[in-house]
Amino acid sequence: MRILIIVTLMLCWQLSYSQDSLKTMSLEEVAITAVRAAEEAPVPQANLTKKQIEEVYVGQHPIFMLSNLTPGFYAFSESGTSFANYGSFRLRGINQERINITLNGVPLNDMIDQGVFFSNFTDVASNFESIQVQRGVGTSTNGVSSYGGSINFESINLAGKEAYSEAQLGAGSFDTYRGNFQHFTGINEKGWGFLTSFSKLTSSGYRDHTETDATSFFLTGGYYGENDLLKLTFFTARSENGLGYQTVERSILESNPTTNLLSENDEDDFTQFLAQLQYNRYLNDDLTLGITAYYGGAGGDFVTFGTNFPLQNDHFGAIANLTYTRGDLELNTGVHGYQFQRKNEESTLTDLDNPFYNEKSDKSEFSAYAKASYVTGNLSLYGDVQLRSARLNISPDFNAVGIAPEGDLAFDWTFLNPRVGASYEVSESFSVYSSFGRSNREPTKIDIFGGFRLDDTNYDNVRNGEPFRDEAVNDLEIGARLNQQNLVIDGNVFLMSFEDEIAPNGAILDFGVGQRRNIPESTRSGAELTWTYAPTSLITFSGNAAYLNTSVKDLIVDGNSVDDNEQILSPNWIINTQIRVNATEKLTFSLSGRYMDRQFMELTNDPTFTVPSSFVSDASVEAKVTDGITVSAFVNNLFDESYYVFGAVTDSNFDGMNVEPGFLAQPERNYFLSVNVRF
């Protein structure tokens, strides 16, 4: 099915470009088509184009754009703003450590903790061409398991574009300022071209002392030939943040919603980078080869409660994929291998050069997949199988353990993840589909440790492989798509059945990270709907809705029997609506609203500990002053609602008893103004 996308792109560009340019455009897509689902594939998905990104993007973390795009998706940050500091998200109530995230097919997840720290590459989304979000098991991809879903970012495509420069300036509430400058050289007669981008962003944050000072640099480009593409994509970013990971009791927030219980001296300073070199080639009319090598890393200081927790990661790997297309058959195979190295330390601020805790770990993985799609008449068949084999090796600090060194600890996993599906074209504008997939996932190091360090309190359990087991999910998806000239509707129902699900239990570990446990039997089921209706060229109605039903079976929590209870932080309803009015060719208004149902904070479903439901509206206006100048203004939380998105039980007395719910407060009405100048 992916060949349909490639052919469509080629036909569209044929009107303006030579055959050479057509090949270059499709070659630039090779890396992402290997991990993405085709639009007709039998999996729930949402796709954001370059135009859609430009309509809403003003420097915020990309996950906040996806909140309005994707059913069942919500995001929040520790600073209360969408621009800076640590951002997190959940999809179908599943946390981001179980979501696969890639850039041009290269993994962005931390392979040991399995999450993504968006704070570390602020404003990189200004260089995205498109974004795809798959919900559920989806199709095989590279890196951590696509367990609750996957997100693939595509860097900007350069072939066919003319040289340009663009400056983006923004300012808004909470002393937020952003500057971004981008320059594209164009592709010269010898086939070489590069794009560079530099960004600077500062913000005081909504919550007390959660300020951010961030810079980033992005480069992409290379050689664009008739049958070959050699492309380098590189980014590096540094962010300095005031920390705000701890939730605050409701009683305190009611008198001062910006309260941050952490000290103004609690801060971090991290740098992250990623370099990927792609080589794509047409071997013949039916066969395309893609090879990518990459190296990335992150490092810096995390200072809290008078202790520094410096962290250093190194991540390098290689990807190769081969696509064969002949008639109605497409075959795609690929392999991926990586080595991820981590160094964890702890030291006092008075003696930074002599850490009192020093642990090293590394993780390696090899995976291979094979995908096939075949079209016969109106019926399209899809099959996909992936083999993943991973090994985690830990070198303990035996001084912290309190015993004589006895060697490293090693954990091995091997998983087989199959997917099958079919779609049927009922008419030119209406199709139905169904798919089934199974995905397995290993625990994170935090899960294995039950925290962030290995010492005399947990070493024996970790050495004996207790208490965590790997998890598995069986995912059934059934959907339908209607695509007419002025109406697009995409809906699906799903049933996800889990075995030993590694899910949060409501308790909080250090640094605001939720504690997780194996739940022997649990399910997530529901329905999702996305719609776009444009009755005229002047007005567009769009939105999405997700209903989620979760169930935990036969579990003992703190001595209490739990059966058929809801999972935590999994709202039953999330609804997004938007109306966009093109008042003139140069003036556009939009108004959006977002409803999120209440969420339980712990597995006994005590109604005292819930994140309350909320409804928030935003508005914006965009004016094209000239062909090269655009001014946009945004008003967020239009009606100045007091609301929360994330919460956790608190123990302010530190006596082991839950006292009241705690939250990360969301901002009051706030504003942002952006000016884009292109020349």
Side-chain angles (χ1 to χ4, degrees), residues 27 227 279 281-290 322-323:
L27 273 176
N227 293 304
Y279 175 69
R281 179 175 176 82
Y282 287 115
L283 299 178
N284 55 46
D285 291 341
D286 303 323
L287 205 58
T288 305
L289 172 68
L322 197 64
T323 302

Side-chain angles (χ1 to χ4, degrees), residues 52-68:
Q52 291 172 306
I53 294 173
E54 291 176 341
E55 288 175 352
V56 299
Y57 185 73
V58 288
Q60 67 271 45
H61 290 327
I63 56 178
F64 290 95
M65 294 189 294
L66 300 180
S67 290
N68 297 323

Side-chain angles (χ1 to χ4, degrees), residues 105-123:
V106 171
L108 293 179
N109 298 74
D110 178 302
M111 293 304 176
I112 290 178
D113 291 337
Q114 301 189 32
V116 174
F117 303 99
F118 291 97
S119 169
N120 293 356
F121 40 94
T122 300
D123 207 8

Side-chain angles (χ1 to χ4, degrees), residues 165-206:
S165 296
E166 182 175 41
Q168 304 175 20
L169 301 174
S173 300
F174 320 123
D175 299 319
T176 301
Y177 300 97
R178 177 208 177 211
N180 181 286
F181 181 76
Q182 189 178 86
H183 175 68
F184 174 45
T185 64
I187 298 176
N188 63 27
E189 295 180 355
K190 295 184 178 180
W192 291 89
F194 291 91
L195 177 142
T196 56
S197 175
F198 176 80
S199 178
K200 176 72 173 181
L201 190 148
T202 62
S203 176
S204 295
Y206 168 65

Side-chain angles (χ1 to χ4, degrees), residues 331-350:
L331 301 175
N332 185 289
T333 61
V335 295
H336 173 224
Y338 71 77
Q339 180 77 25
F340 187 91
Q341 299 172 343
R342 158 76 60 75
K343 183 178 181 180
N344 283 89
E345 293 182 353
E346 298 177 24
S347 58
T348 62
L349 296 184
T350 57

Side-chain angles (χ1 to χ4, degrees), residues 533-594:
Y533 176 55
T536 72
S537 60
L538 301 179
I539 188 168
T540 301
F541 300 93
S542 61
N544 58 71
Y547 170 73
L548 176 66
N549 178 62
T550 63
S551 178
V552 174
K553 304 291 187 182
D554 192 22
L555 194 66
I556 301 298
V557 179
D558 296 331
N560 299 311
S561 177
V562 169
D563 190 34
D564 206 26
N565 283 24
E566 292 187 25
Q567 293 270 23
I568 75 168
L569 300 176
S570 299
N572 295 128
W573 286 98
I574 299 179
I575 302 173
N576 292 286
T577 60
Q578 182 186 61
I579 179 172
R580 187 175 179 87
V581 179
N582 300 314
T584 68
E585 290 185 359
K586 296 185 177 182
L587 188 63
T588 302
F589 299 91
S590 72
L591 178 66
S592 64
R594 179 177 180 83

Side-chain angles (χ1 to χ4, degrees), residues 425 427-431 481-484:
E425 188 177 285
S427 67
E428 289 185 0
S429 60
F430 182 67
S431 62
R481 298 181 176 117
L482 176 68
N483 193 341
Q484 296 182 336

